[in-house]
Amino acid sequence: MRLGLIGYGNIAGTLLRLIAETPEIRLEALTVLGLPGKTDELGKDLEASHGGLGCSFAAVSSAEELLAAKPDFVVECAGHQAVVSHVPTILKAGVDVVLVSIGAFAHRELEAELRAAAEEGGARIVLPAGAVGGIDLLAALRPAGLTSVTYQGCKPPAAWAGTPAETAVDLDGLKEATVFFTGTARDAAAQYPKNANVAATIALAGLGFDDTKVELIADPAASGNTHEFTAVSGVARTSIRIENLPSPGNIKTSVTTVYSVLRELRNRVAPVAI
């Protein structure tokens, strides 16, 4: 596989370490799109940290350079602005993209642009389940007539630092679990882009951004990130609760997010996909 990555942060670094431990995934070439002016440093880091992958490495700073490396598949893990700047170009070129920053779909104009770019290039936008489970069942129930979908996301106060939660509650002074946001998945994903990708995933699989109810919670007793949703349809009622450990080096991200992306890569090359 010739793999492209957009971004080289916590998720990308962890993913590459997991790929090295996954015999089914054999990389022929790895191209990473990083920040302008940082490609030399990035290239050296890739060689030093992931030489065990046994593939060629390249660090680039534009979507055009990434496409010149002829990737079979691209994984975006760099945030909403990277989606805006790079993903439409890659999709138009006919290359499938795994979109980790799913909350970007909360912006109507960007969602329309991404869908149009994928259609124009004959490419697919792959949305991994990320930190939550049961997305397959939720999407399957949609044609059966979903009547309600409610999501709760609970993380330690420190995971909400640097977000609007700081003005809603005293994060440092919390003594008990506190709901600081109640609204739609669209508002949650827009206001908390680094924390609420799960809300966006659930919305896209189910009732959409404007009809999915969301509660965000800060809990000083939480040891990790908990995601829970309840969906009601004409044929079934389901409740899913996942308690995740945070990703090493980034308390805002659940480590299962990286394993979710690894699953997409394995299914890309495996004779049996599940």
Side-chain angles (χ1 to χ4, degrees), residues 2-83:
R2 302 180 65 85
L3 179 64
L5 291 179
I6 302 175
Y8 184 64
N10 176 264
I11 291 177
T14 305
L15 176 64
L16 292 178
R17 288 192 290 273
L18 291 176
I19 289 174
E21 301 168 1
T22 306
E24 302 96 316
I25 303 175
R26 300 287 186 181
L27 293 188
E28 174 188 346
L30 173 67
T31 305
V32 181
L33 197 168
L35 296 173
K38 300 288 186 179
T39 53
D40 288 345
E41 180 182 342
L42 174 56
K44 293 176 182 177
D45 194 348
L46 289 170
E47 289 279 5
S49 301
H50 305 290
L53 287 170
C55 65
S56 64
F57 296 96
V60 300
S61 59
S62 71
E64 290 76 13
E65 291 176 294
L66 178 60
L67 289 169
K70 301 187 182 304
D72 300 312
F73 207 39
V74 171
V75 175
E76 174 282 318
C77 47
H80 290 196
Q81 188 53 52
V83 176

Side-chain angles (χ1 to χ4, degrees), residues 101-127:
S101 304
I102 296 176
F105 267 68
H107 303 280
R108 291 183 177 88
E109 296 82 3
L110 180 55
E111 178 183 6
E113 181 182 3
L114 292 170
R115 291 182 183 273
E119 185 173 353
E120 178 181 334
R124 298 174 69 236
I125 305 167
V126 180
L127 304 180

Side-chain angles (χ1 to χ4, degrees), residues 213-238:
K213 300 174 184 177
V214 172
E215 286 187 348
L216 300 179
I217 302 165
D219 184 358
S223 58
N225 305 329
T226 299
H227 304 287
E228 184 172 6
F229 76 85
T230 299
V232 179
S233 75
V235 298
R237 176 187 177 94
T238 183

